[in-house]
Every structure is written in C-alpha cells, then in structure tokens.
Amino acid sequence: MKWNALLALVALGFTAACSSISATSDYDQGYDFSALHNYAWAEISGEKQQADQLTLRRVMEATDQVLASKGFAKTDPGQASFLTAIQTGTEEQHEYTTYGTGGWRFGGMTTTTEQTYDEGTLILDIVDAKKKELIWRGSANGILDPGASTQEKTENVQKAVTKILADFPPKPGT
C-alpha cells in the first residue's frame, strides 16, 4: 500500500453510501481507558504540514464532535491524558467483471472488463500523553469519489470518523 502524509487524498471524499465505508479498531487490552478524560491533537510536522487544510479541518472537527459526545474534553497538550493523530493513505484497486454470450452447446464468447478505483484509508491513533505509547488505533476504508461536492466530502468524513470511533473507548472485556 502506498502511504503518504497528504490529506489531499482523503479530500476526494469517501463515497456517499455509509455502508461502503468499513471500519476496524485495535487497542492495548491491558490499558485502563477509564483514566482518559481529556485530549489534545498531536503536533503535525514534516510532510503533514503541507496537507490539504480543508480536509485536515474536516477530520479534526468531526473527531472533536464525536469525542465531545463521548464526554472527552479538548485541552492543551500539556494537560491532556491522550493525544490524537491522523494518518491517511490510498491504494489502487481493480475489479473484474466477466460476462458471456451464447451457451455451452453453441459455443460463445466471454468478455472481462476491468475497473480501476482508488480506495482511501483514514487512521486515527490514540496515544497515551505521558508514556507517548499507542493505546488505540481505528481505521476506515472506502472508495474515493473524485466528483464529491464539498457537502458530500464533509458528510463522508463525518461518517468515516463516526464509524472509526464507534468502539472508542473500548469497553472492559471486549
């Protein structure tokens, strides 16, 4: 998979159908998530500084909304119990469709067509602010839609972030 730090790829937008976005998460099972109360955004440096600011803002605003709905307060990095960071990437996918004419008795022809599309990945990392260790990671994958409107891009980022954070924080024993 080709990973890059530019959020511009996510700016193309996930397709509008929420069902086309799949999300997964993983976490440190030994971590006490009940100790988390507030968060800050991890500082973005290097290549990420040149990311599409519109998309960066969309992802951060959506994440802020979802975390606030779960009772987490945004604070200064020095006061935060956890930090949140963003990663993105794309991978070119190929879909093949084969169809035929005629029948087995009379012979026939089959034709295969190939469709190429880009699948985008959005990753949200949750890092223990004191230990600087990854404690939770969630990601969403979906087909990128280069024709999405500004409103669709915003809605699709919101759907992806909501799906990613659906299981954060993890419930004990899950």
Side-chain angles (χ1 to χ4, degrees):
M1 184 180 292
K2 295 185 284 183
W3 288 102
N4 70 40
L6 297 177
L7 290 170
L9 297 171
V10 176
L12 296 173
F14 287 106
T15 55
C18 187
S19 62
S20 68
I21 299 172
S22 62
T24 61
S25 63
D26 192 14
Y27 65 95
D28 179 349
Q29 291 182 330
Y31 191 82
D32 179 12
F33 287 89
S34 67
L36 302 179
H37 302 290
N38 50 28
Y39 72 99
W41 283 95
E43 183 139 349
I44 298 170
S45 60
E47 293 176 344
K48 292 183 183 182
Q49 285 289 40
Q50 298 171 17
D52 173 354
Q53 295 300 309
L54 295 173
T55 302
L56 177 62
R57 193 172 320 129
R58 282 184 187 110
V59 173
M60 292 175 79
E61 287 173 358
T63 304
D64 288 343
Q65 289 172 1
V66 173
L67 290 176
S69 74
K70 293 175 174 277
F72 296 106
K74 189 174 172 183
T75 190
D76 294 324
Q79 305 299 317
S81 55
F82 68 94
L83 302 173
T84 304
I86 301 168
Q87 295 183 54
T88 64
T90 62
E91 183 175 19
E92 189 175 86
Q93 298 287 335
H94 302 273
E95 182 176 282
Y96 300 94
T97 305
T98 302
Y99 55 93
T101 59
W104 63 272
R105 241 201 255 176
F106 304 109
M109 283 182 40
T110 60
T111 303
T112 300
T113 59
E114 176 186 19
Q115 181 180 7
T116 303
Y117 61 93
D118 288 327
E119 183 175 81
T121 301
L122 173 62
I123 299 172
L124 292 177
D125 285 337
I126 304 294
V127 176
D128 180 288
K130 289 183 180 72
K131 296 178 183 178
K132 305 291 190 236
E133 292 177 358
L134 180 66
I135 56 172
W136 188 92
R137 171 174 277 182
S139 65
N141 296 319
I143 298 171
L144 299 177
D145 180 4
S149 70
T150 299
Q151 182 64 33
E152 288 171 327
K153 290 174 189 176
T154 301
E155 291 171 0
N156 294 333
V157 166
Q158 182 70 45
K159 289 175 187 174
V161 169
T162 300
K163 277 193 162 191
I164 290 171
L165 292 172
D167 295 325
F168 179 79
K171 302 194 181 8
T174 59

